[in-house]
Amino acid sequence: MLTNYLKVAFRNITKHKLFSVINILGLTIGIAGTLFIVMYIQDELSYDRFNEKGDRIYRVNLHGKIAGQEVHTTSTAYPLYKALVEEIPEIEQATRVNDMREWIFRYEEKAFKEDKVMAVDSNFFNFFSYELVKGNPDKALQDPNSIVISELLAEKYFGDENPLDKTMAIGNDKSSYKVTGVFAEVPGNSHLKFNALLSSSSFPWMNRDQWLSNSLWTYYMINKTGNPAEVDHKMDAMIETHVSPTFVEFMGKSLAEFRNEGGIYRYWSIPLYDIHLKSSLRDEPEPPGSMSYIWIMTVIGIFIMVIACINFMNLTTAKSAGRAKEVGLRKTLGSLRTTLIGQFLTESVAYTLIGAVLAMGVVYALMPLFNEISGKELQASQLLNINLLGILFAVIIFVGLLAGSYPALYLTSFKITEVLKGKLRAGMKSGGVRSFLVTFQFWISIVLIICTAIVYQQLKYVQNQNLGFDKDHILLINDASRLDKNQVAFKNELRANTNIAGVSYSNNTVPGVNNTTIFRGEGDAADHMMSTYYADYDHLKALDLKLVEGRFFSRDFPSDSNAVVINEAAVREMGWQDPLSEKIIDFNGDSAVSRAVIGVVKDYNYESLKFNVRPLVLHFTNTGNVLYVRIAGDDPGRMVADITNAWDKYMTGDPLSYSFLDEDYDALFRSEQRLGKVFTVFTVLAIFIACLGLFGLAAFMAEQRTKEIGIRKVLGASVWSITSLMSAEFTKLVLIAFVLAIYPAYYVMDSWLEGFANKVEISYWIFALGGLSALLISWLTVSYQSLKAAKVDPVRSLKYE
Amino acid sequence: MSMIQIKNLQKVYTTDEVETTALNSINIEIKEGEFVAIMGPSGCGKSTLLNILGLLDNPSDGEYHFGEHEVSNYSERQRAQLRKGSIGFVFQSFNLIDELTVFENVELPLLYLKVPSAERKQRVEEVLERMNIMHRRNHFPQQLSGGQQQRVAIARAIVAKPSVILADEPTGNLDSANGEEVMKLLAELNEEGTTIIMVTHSPYDANYAHRIINLFDGKVVTENIKEQFHI
């Protein structure tokens, strides 16, 4: 009997080619979209799970509340790892990772700047499960000046040679490092990503017994019976033993006093597996994913599948006239309704199966494109992953049954006596269900259109929002200290170039700030947490900052080297009326220093538009590791060449590396931009599938109303009036969908915008846009069928009846 | 022995406001092996009667004995069960499934009766041979002439060896030559013992029957043994 069903199904597919193509296309796109989403989510959920002992690995984080400011960071103190192992028995081992960012690597004639360099402890390869392809995992990182590099770097510097025991010159001072190992490329789903690892023993300062300086990541592995909550508890005690003694020295008060004033200083643990999706801490190795995006993706995936299913339902019922006779006949021959339902479900599962097979092909072909949009590194081979195939199988069954359910119930409800007589229309009163389904499809589409529009509006808004300075045309060299004693000469050379509007040294790379610390106003006992960095005389000009009061650091006032410039937020924080008459107590150096406030700059966003501008104190420096160069000419390409030439004069053979500030700012919104793109892709898919469904439905309605149209035409109706009559039906449904979509779309986007300090107002025209585009799309889709029906010769349409 | 016996049969259709009596106090007895024609003007209730006789529909009231079964209150499931082994249908518009070949169409009732594959093949081939349509076994219905399609439909009606064949204007869509052929086939089947009940407009076709039942406005008006007409 199954063969009989499949035969009929297959012959129906080939017989109604257009409908089958539309039907299968809808399912294919729906399943392909879902597959992509499943793979995306699988990848997100698989972060760090390649670590064999990952379920017992935790990372220590720091929660502090100092001078009223909350700090949640991943950075911890140098000696913590040792104390963890020595003082907490259930901890088997601990290891540290220190992000060293970018270094110049040299081997023979080759010199390149490499990023993602990290200094790690010797047990790194035993702790985590990164694969070492060459070298001994126990010993590779033991000795000082050992380096373990990626296969890619090995190839780049050593070609076919064996890199082991070769010596590389690393960093500005060209320290010698011996290559002691080569690791396989770090998996894309690792929260730590690195190109080279240096042994921590190479850096004596990493072994300083300094508990209040938090700057590296500490991980620990607990034994099988250990409990991380217990560890957190024991770390509290550890703070008493180790941090308390130095607290007075650095903070000017005891830990107890600090706590009495509402201060918080404690370590806590996060499971390794949770880092990627559940951490929202500062100083993560890479921008974390987010559980809420996972949910959004899941919902979109389900939406798309549901639209494809509805599509199938509508199209199948649209063609039911052709199947009614078969149903009647099979019933006459003794088939039960349940058997017939089984037949139609088999058929829809068969359809879904075809769609799924095609979808696999589509996913395979579009994988590179999807990776580019989503920023993932998915492999085509993952398609054959047993879990994915399992999910795919479940999807086929689920979609097959869901999509087939309504047609099966509907088709088998025909009364034999009526279908066999050809009285089909009498038994086909399912308009309510169909209207509901179409409305639902449009509801989804309109919600997606509105959300996508708002995501884009917000992205555009934050990217074009006034930062308070001009981020365009600024070139950034962030390891300028390599110039050493030539720093000033290099700067002067650039200043002399007429196409360069400003050159400024600083110790800080915006966007971002690496020092937030405590200040006091002179004669005021209250602590104030403010960010601070160092900049030279030309900072104002180079960044095009606006001065509100006073003046910036000036060569004309030698005493300025001891003064500070603050921003408006700092004025508000301090509560000053006349800031230029005030002094700031600075605890940054060896002892507290009082510094005069000589100027106030207009707030500029030196971190990210995700946050509001925080109070800032600018100190003076003459040189720094970071150089900002504002290009004035309209030929940035030539200017880069000029700057490179000037650099090479001082640093022959030492490549210049630079970035552009506007791109660095844009990069802050990469995950949102990706979300925007992913949203767009899936919205377009959803609408496209919905339109396929609508097209089918329009055909169905046209078919159903043939007689009515014929009579109307005989009575003198024009083609136009009939076309609008047909469209009116759908217009009504789209409008209902639109009204129902407004609130959910508003609610979802309002919650999303909560995450931004600077956000667009959700304006009413966005909703109008969503509704109108859905309306327009539906009209375009329906008009073809309506026109076709309206143009039929009434003699023919009446005969049909 | 009586094959079908109905007593005081009523069929009332109710729409929102109107109640239409399609069949009113019908009493009919049809004996095993009889060939009965049902005649009457359009709308007299012929098809309604045939649907009830064929267990496609239930009466509103009255008794219906099919063989030993009292079926007037049978559920859909029970009717389907009884129908598939004992009643064969022939329609005016043939009602073949367009997506199935001649062979597959004829095979269908046996599939529902769960006849094993080898036996199915043998029985289908037998009836196709008998209907002289074997050479078209792999064709689809649209590729056949009307006469051929009706022969396939008859083959399908008899392949399960039913005790009764219900034919609803079997020659209505055929030319006279093909119509004649179909009638001869039905008569032949009747001679072999199959009970045949046929609705028709054609007095010529009715001639093949032993007995003609005339319906008018849902009532039996005359029920004659053909000989009384001396045709």
Side-chain angles (χ1 to χ4, degrees):
Chain A
M1 191 56 95
L2 187 68
T3 8
N4 185 277
Y5 292 166
L6 292 176
K7 243 185 248 169
V8 174
F10 180 72
R11 286 173 192 160
N12 261 304
I13 290 174
T14 48
K15 189 168 157 195
H16 308 286
K17 285 192 183 62
L18 177 71
F19 271 81
S20 309
V21 165
I22 291 177
N23 237 340
I24 292 173
L25 191 66
L27 286 169
T28 303
I29 298 173
I31 295 173
T34 308
L35 273 181
F36 272 129
I37 289 176
V38 167
M39 290 176 83
Y40 178 94
I41 293 175
Q42 259 189 344
D43 188 69
E44 285 285 292
L45 295 178
S46 74
Y47 258 71
D48 295 309
R49 297 204 178 243
F50 58 86
N51 283 293
E52 282 157 29
K53 298 169 193 158
D55 56 334
R56 294 193 281 129
I57 296 178
Y58 295 81
R59 190 188 62 199
V60 182
N61 309 297
L62 177 67
H63 175 204
K65 189 175 180 187
I66 302 159
Q69 297 243 6
E70 293 256 2
V71 185
H72 291 277
T73 175
T74 61
S75 301
T76 48
Y78 304 118
L80 174 67
Y81 82 114
K82 210 176 259 172
L84 286 174
V85 178
E86 283 168 5
E87 296 169 25
I88 302 179
E90 56 263 43
I91 290 184
E92 284 180 357
Q93 51 174 329
T95 198
R96 299 173 303 167
V97 177
N98 198 356
D99 188 4
M100 312 293 272
R101 295 161 197 270
E102 304 172 328
W103 290 57
I104 303 277
F105 281 38
R106 292 184 182 79
Y107 177 70
E108 291 175 348
E109 299 307 304
K110 292 174 186 156
F112 301 99
K113 186 163 170 178
E114 302 299 347
D115 62 353
K116 296 181 189 151
V117 180
M118 292 178 183
V120 298
D121 286 327
S122 57
N123 61 345
F124 185 83
F125 283 106
N126 283 327
F127 193 93
F128 296 111
S129 304
Y130 300 102
E131 191 194 343
L132 200 64
V133 290
K134 282 197 175 90
N136 179 341
D138 296 322
K139 291 187 180 149
L141 290 159
Q142 217 162 45
D143 298 330
N145 291 44
S146 303
I147 182 169
V148 179
I149 55 176
S150 69
E151 281 183 310
L152 220 63
L153 288 197
E155 164 81 34
K156 183 168 161 186
Y157 287 92
F158 303 100
D160 296 337
E161 287 178 70
N162 182 359
L164 284 190
D165 295 330
K166 295 272 180 343
T167 302
M168 299 184 87
I170 310 285
N172 297 341
D173 58 359
K174 301 184 184 168
S175 309
S176 296
Y177 278 79
K178 190 165 88 177
V179 180
T180 51
V182 175
F183 56 82
E185 289 313 309
V186 176
N189 58 359
S190 165
H191 83 286
L192 284 173
K193 295 204 172 71
F194 43 85
N195 294 320
L197 298 171
L198 309 174
S199 56
S200 61
S201 52
S202 320
F203 308 96
W205 49 264
M206 274 182 75
N207 288 320
R208 272 191 306 203
D209 192 33
Q210 232 196 60
W211 277 87
L212 270 175
S213 171
N214 295 296
S215 66
L216 44 69
W217 298 304
T218 304
Y219 300 83
Y220 68 80
M221 191 187 292
I222 205 167
N223 64 22
K224 287 190 174 107
T225 55
N227 173 3
E230 195 63 26
V231 170
D232 283 2
H233 195 64
K234 288 177 179 168
M235 285 195 293
D236 285 342
M238 203 179 274
I239 295 222
E240 295 297 334
T241 343
H242 298 283
V243 181
S244 207
T246 45
F247 215 81
V248 185
E249 192 184 322
F250 282 88
M251 308 288 274
K253 59 186 89 167
S254 74
L255 189 60
E257 279 174 324
F258 168 77
R259 285 191 176 141
N260 281 339
E261 289 167 16
I264 298 172
Y265 197 94
R266 68 178 301 257
Y267 289 127
W268 60 281
S269 318
I270 184 170
L272 177 68
Y273 294 159
D274 285 355
I275 291 176
H276 178 66
L277 286 175
K278 295 186 183 158
S279 164
S280 53
L281 305 170
R282 292 181 80 101
D283 313 308
E284 280 294 349
E286 65 167 19
S290 136
M291 222 39 216
S292 56
Y293 286 179
I294 298 271
W295 286 118
I296 291 175
M297 295 286 274
T298 309
V299 168
I300 293 181
I302 291 172
F303 272 3
I304 288 189
M305 247 7 289
V306 167
I307 289 184
C309 286
I310 291 180
N311 219 9
F312 183 91
M313 295 175 186
N314 281 339
L315 287 166
T316 309
T317 45
K319 279 327 267 181
S320 61
R323 301 300 294 277
K325 191 173 83 179
E326 181 190 338
V327 171
L329 208 89
R330 283 182 185 271
K331 280 190 173 180
T332 309
L333 295 179
S335 173
L336 291 171
R337 188 169 179 203
T338 44
T339 321
L340 279 166
I341 288 175
Q343 179 190 347
F344 284 107
L345 289 181
T346 310
E347 214 166 278
S348 62
V349 171
Y351 259 102
T352 318
L353 192 66
I354 297 175
V357 170
L358 293 175
M360 294 274 276
V362 170
V363 170
Y364 179 79
L366 296 183
M367 187 81 85
L369 189 69
F370 182 77
N371 280 340
E372 200 183 307
I373 292 171
S374 65
K376 287 271 167 223
E377 295 170 24
L378 302 176
Q379 304 290 323
S381 61
Q382 281 171 257
L383 271 175
L384 299 175
N385 168 300
I386 191 78
N387 287 333
L388 190 85
L389 289 178
I391 292 176
L392 183 66
F393 181 73
V395 166
I396 293 171
I397 298 299
F398 179 75
V399 169
L401 295 185
L402 181 67
S405 60
Y406 172 55
L409 291 174
Y410 174 62
L411 285 168
T412 56
S413 70
F414 297 159
K415 286 186 102 177
I416 317 174
T417 48
E418 284 167 1
V419 272
L420 290 180
K421 270 283 173 190
K423 281 192 228 156
L424 210 54
R425 249 145 240 101
M428 293 180 74
K429 289 187 181 115
S430 60
V433 179
R434 249 185 349 264
S435 303
F436 169 76
L437 292 176
V438 173
T439 310
F440 188 56
Q441 277 188 320
F442 270 94
W443 178 82
I444 294 176
S445 302
I446 295 171
V447 168
L448 287 177
I449 293 175
I450 294 172
C451 291
T452 308
I454 293 176
V455 167
Y456 268 98
Q457 224 193 356
Q458 169 68 8
L459 286 179
K460 208 176 147 201
Y461 176 76
V462 289
Q463 278 167 15
N464 296 337
Q465 216 207 17
N466 191 1
L467 286 169
F469 73 99
D470 181 7
K471 71 180 186 322
D472 297 327
H473 312 299
I474 294 181
L475 182 141
L476 202 72
I477 301 171
N478 57 19
D479 53 355
S481 57
R482 279 194 279 157
L483 288 159
D484 206 15
K485 56 184 187 301
N486 292 322
Q487 278 197 292
V488 176
F490 178 65
K491 177 177 167 178
N492 288 336
E493 180 153 352
L494 296 187
R495 280 179 76 195
N497 190 321
T498 50
N499 284 325
I500 289 176
V503 190
S504 164
Y505 275 117
S506 167
N507 75 332
N508 188 55
T509 315
V510 296
V513 64
N514 51 19
N515 193 359
T516 299
T517 180
I518 292 172
F519 293 92
R520 280 187 200 153
E522 203 173 59
D524 179 3
D527 290 339
H528 298 278
M529 276 293 269
M530 298 199 277
S531 301
T532 180
Y533 71 84
Y534 288 78
D536 67 5
Y537 299 119
D538 301 310
H539 204 59
L540 193 78
K541 210 163 128 193
L543 261 59
D544 200 12
L545 306 177
K546 302 285 177 283
L547 206 58
V548 186
E549 269 186 84
R551 59 186 168 76
F552 204 71
F553 301 121
S554 162
R555 292 179 177 84
D556 303 333
F557 297 83
S559 62
D560 279 3
S561 59
N562 287 318
V564 292
V565 173
I566 60 176
N567 69 354
E568 294 170 305
V571 176
R572 286 192 298 274
E573 168 76 22
M574 302 304 289
W576 286 334
Q577 296 305 317
D578 179 15
L580 296 185
S581 66
E582 303 281 357
K583 284 189 169 152
I584 267 183
I585 312 283
D586 176 4
F587 299 94
N588 259 344
D590 295 334
S591 56
V593 179
S594 175
R595 297 182 189 277
V597 176
I598 56 166
V600 177
V601 288
K602 192 172 160 37
D603 281 344
Y604 63 101
N605 209 311
Y606 56 89
E607 287 183 289
S608 162
L609 283 159
K610 286 181 189 174
F611 311 118
N612 284 316
V613 180
R614 295 195 292 171
L616 176 71
V617 177
L618 288 175
H619 285 82
F620 176 78
T621 180
N622 207 23
T623 58
N625 194 30
V626 184
L627 187 70
Y628 296 89
V629 184
R630 174 172 294 282
I631 295 166
D634 47 11
D635 187 357
R638 215 196 87 210
M639 290 321 298
V640 170
D642 281 4
I643 296 167
T644 310
N645 286 338
W647 174 272
D648 287 344
K649 234 184 268 178
Y650 302 101
M651 301 294 296
T652 320
D654 216 341
L656 169 76
S657 67
Y658 61 88
S659 63
F660 284 98
L661 198 58
D662 53 348
E663 288 168 12
D664 296 345
Y665 266 90
D666 286 350
L668 294 175
F669 288 94
R670 203 150 282 160
S671 76
E672 282 80 5
Q673 279 167 342
R674 281 190 186 131
L675 179 73
K677 280 188 194 162
V678 169
F679 244 152
T680 313
V681 169
F682 287 112
T683 303
V684 169
L685 284 187
I687 294 168
F688 182 71
I689 306 174
C691 282
L692 285 179
L694 193 62
F695 186 79
L697 199 67
F700 172 76
M701 301 261 296
E703 186 183 301
Q704 251 202 327
R705 297 173 77 169
T706 314
K707 182 179 164 194
E708 177 197 338
I709 292 167
I711 295 170
R712 281 177 189 272
K713 283 192 82 170
V714 169
L715 297 176
S718 68
V719 168
W720 166 244
S721 73
I722 286 170
T723 310
S724 25
L725 178 82
M726 300 277 294
S727 307
E729 197 80 19
F730 294 103
T731 307
K732 203 170 70 194
L733 301 182
V734 173
L735 287 178
I736 294 172
F738 169 62
V739 171
L740 295 177
I742 293 176
Y743 182 71
Y746 175 83
Y747 178 78
V748 169
M749 286 334 278
D750 195 50
S751 326
W752 180 70
L753 286 172
E754 285 290 295
F756 293 87
N758 300 286
K759 54 192 175 200
V760 282
E761 286 290 310
I762 299 179
S763 46
Y764 67 91
W765 64 263
I766 284 272
F767 294 93
L769 176 89
L772 277 178
S773 38
L775 208 54
L776 200 69
I777 292 168
S778 72
W779 277 338
L780 284 175
T781 313
V782 171
S783 60
Y784 169 76
Q785 295 289 358
S786 308
L787 269 173
K788 205 170 94 177
K791 280 186 170 167
V792 170
D793 180 0
V795 176
R796 267 187 59 203
S797 47
L798 287 178
K799 210 170 146 192
Y800 176 87
E801 185 58 17
Chain B
M1 195 188 134
S2 90
M3 182 79 227
I4 283 171
Q5 190 167 24
I6 56 180
K7 287 180 188 159
N8 284 323
L9 192 98
Q10 295 259 28
K11 182 71 186 176
V12 180
Y13 290 109
T14 320
T15 56
D16 291 343
E17 285 167 359
V18 190
E19 215 173 64
T20 320
T21 306
L23 296 175
N24 193 1
S25 302
I26 305 258
N27 293 291
I28 294 175
E29 190 189 354
I30 295 168
K31 295 215 158 44
E32 210 178 303
E34 254 197 301
F35 189 154
V36 176
I38 299 172
M39 295 186 78
S42 286
C44 69
K46 298 188 298 278
S47 292
T48 308
L49 180 60
L50 200 69
N51 285 338
I52 293 172
L53 291 178
L55 299 171
L56 297 175
D57 207 352
N58 269 346
S60 312
D61 200 10
E63 288 173 34
Y64 176 11
H65 297 273
F66 185 90
E68 301 138 16
H69 311 272
E70 208 304 287
V71 298
S72 60
N73 289 314
Y74 263 31
S75 68
E76 165 87 40
R77 177 176 282 268
Q78 288 170 308
R79 279 188 278 133
Q81 202 56 40
L82 189 55
R83 198 160 64 217
K84 66 181 171 189
S86 29
I87 306 176
F89 291 88
V90 178
F91 304 93
Q92 177 180 357
S93 50
F94 324 134
N95 282 337
L96 298 172
I97 296 179
D98 298 336
E99 287 74 28
L100 294 179
T101 62
V102 165
F103 183 94
E104 289 158 354
N105 263 292
V106 176
E107 186 190 25
L108 210 50
L110 301 181
L111 279 171
Y112 286 111
L113 285 167
K114 300 199 165 62
V115 175
S117 160
E119 190 187 336
R120 278 203 311 267
K121 185 163 182 287
Q122 192 205 334
R123 281 170 69 174
V124 172
E125 281 172 357
E126 264 172 38
V127 286
L128 287 178
E129 205 71 75
R130 169 154 192 204
M131 292 297 134
N132 199 17
I133 199 94
M134 190 61 179
H135 58 296
R136 311 299 298 259
R137 55 178 288 172
N138 290 324
H139 288 87
F140 287 95
Q142 298 96 318
Q143 296 168 310
L144 306 182
S145 72
Q148 287 171 323
Q149 288 192 46
Q150 196 59 303
R151 291 207 315 261
V152 175
I154 294 173
R156 185 181 62 193
I158 63 171
V159 72
K161 303 197 172 106
S163 40
V164 180
I165 287 179
L166 295 177
D168 191 355
E169 303 214 28
T171 62
N173 284 7
L174 300 176
D175 59 36
S176 60
N178 277 310
E180 175 87 37
E181 197 183 343
V182 164
M183 286 317 298
K184 279 185 177 148
L185 272 170
L186 290 176
E188 215 176 292
L189 290 167
N190 178 246
E191 269 161 35
E192 288 163 17
T194 312
T195 311
I196 293 181
I197 303 168
M198 174 178 76
V199 163
T200 183
H201 275 304
S202 150
Y204 183 78
D205 288 352
N207 239 342
Y208 283 87
H210 305 148
R211 182 153 65 107
I212 298 169
I213 295 170
N214 273 298
L215 283 186
F216 188 76
D217 283 355
K219 291 179 186 159
V220 177
V221 284
T222 50
E223 192 179 346
N224 298 320
I225 305 288
K226 198 165 80 156
E227 281 75 18
Q228 291 177 333
F229 284 87
H230 307 292
I231 302 170

